[in-house]
C-alpha cells in the first residue's frame, strides 16, 4: 500500500528539486525528515512539507503505521514555464524562462 502527496506549480526549477529528491529516496521517513531539516537548499522546505503530508495521508487515509514508512518514490517533473522579457542593448529583449515544478512524494510500508 502506498500514500502520495503532490505539489503542483511550485516556482522552483525541477533541476534544483531533483538534487534534494535524490537525497531522501529510499530512506525511512524519520531519517528523510532529519536530512531535509539540515539541507540548506530552497527545495528542502517544500519537500519537508510534502513528506509530512504524505505521512499524514498514509496514517489517516490508509491506516498505515507511521513508524514503518519509508520514501519509496520522489520525483520532480517540469510544469509550465513562465516566459518573461529582459531588456538588453540596442532596444532588444531576451527571454527569461521562469520554470515551475510538479513534485510528488510517495511513501510505503516496510515489509
Amino acid at each position: 500500500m502506498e500514500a502520495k502527496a503532490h505539489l503542483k506549480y511550485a516556482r522552483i526549477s525541477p533541476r534544483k528539486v531533483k538534487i534534494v529528491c535524490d537525497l531522501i529516496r529510499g530512506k525511512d521517513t524519520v531519517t528523510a525528515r532529519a536530512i531535509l531539516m539540515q539541507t540548506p537548499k530552497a527545495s528542502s522546505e517544500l519537500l519537508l512539507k510534502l513528506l509530512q503530508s504524505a505521512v499524514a495521508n498514509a496514517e489517516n487515509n490508509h491506516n498505515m503505521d507511521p513508524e514503518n514508512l519509508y520514501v519509496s518514490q520522489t520525483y520532480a517533473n517540469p510544469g509550465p514555464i513562465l516566459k518573461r522579457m529582459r531588456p538588453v542593448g540596442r532596444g532588444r529583449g531576451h527571454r527569461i524562462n521562469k520554470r515551475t515544478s510538479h513534485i510528488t512524494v510517495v511513501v510505503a510500508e516496510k515489509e
Side-chain angles (χ1 to χ4, degrees), residues 3 8 10 19 31 36 43 48 50 61 81 83 90-91 93 96 107-108:
K8 294 196 167 201
I19 294 170
T31 307
L36 290 174
S43 62
L48 180 62
L50 206 55
N61 299 343
I81 299 172
K83 296 175 176 78
R90 300 170 71 179
I96 301 293
V107 295

Side-chain angles (χ1 to χ4, degrees), residues 4-42:
K4 296 181 181 180
H6 301 283
L7 173 63
K8 294 196 167 201
Y9 306 106
R11 256 298 285 127
I12 188 168
S13 170
R15 183 175 176 180
K16 295 177 183 178
V17 178
K18 286 177 186 179
I19 294 170
V20 183
C21 284
D22 292 339
L23 292 176
I24 64 168
R25 190 177 297 118
K27 305 276 195 300
D28 62 293
T29 55
V30 176
T31 307
R33 186 176 291 135
I35 290 170
L36 290 174
M37 291 176 88
Q38 297 299 318
T39 304
K41 295 274 187 187

Side-chain angles (χ1 to χ4, degrees), residues 38-54:
Q38 297 299 318
T39 304
K41 295 274 187 187
S43 62
S44 62
E45 187 175 335
L46 298 173
L47 278 168
L48 180 62
K49 282 186 172 185
L50 206 55
L51 176 64
Q52 291 172 342
S53 177

Side-chain angles (χ1 to χ4, degrees), residues 1 11 21 40 71 75-76 78 96 103:
M1 187 59 117
R11 256 298 285 127
C21 284
V71 180
Y75 48 89
I96 301 293
I103 310 168

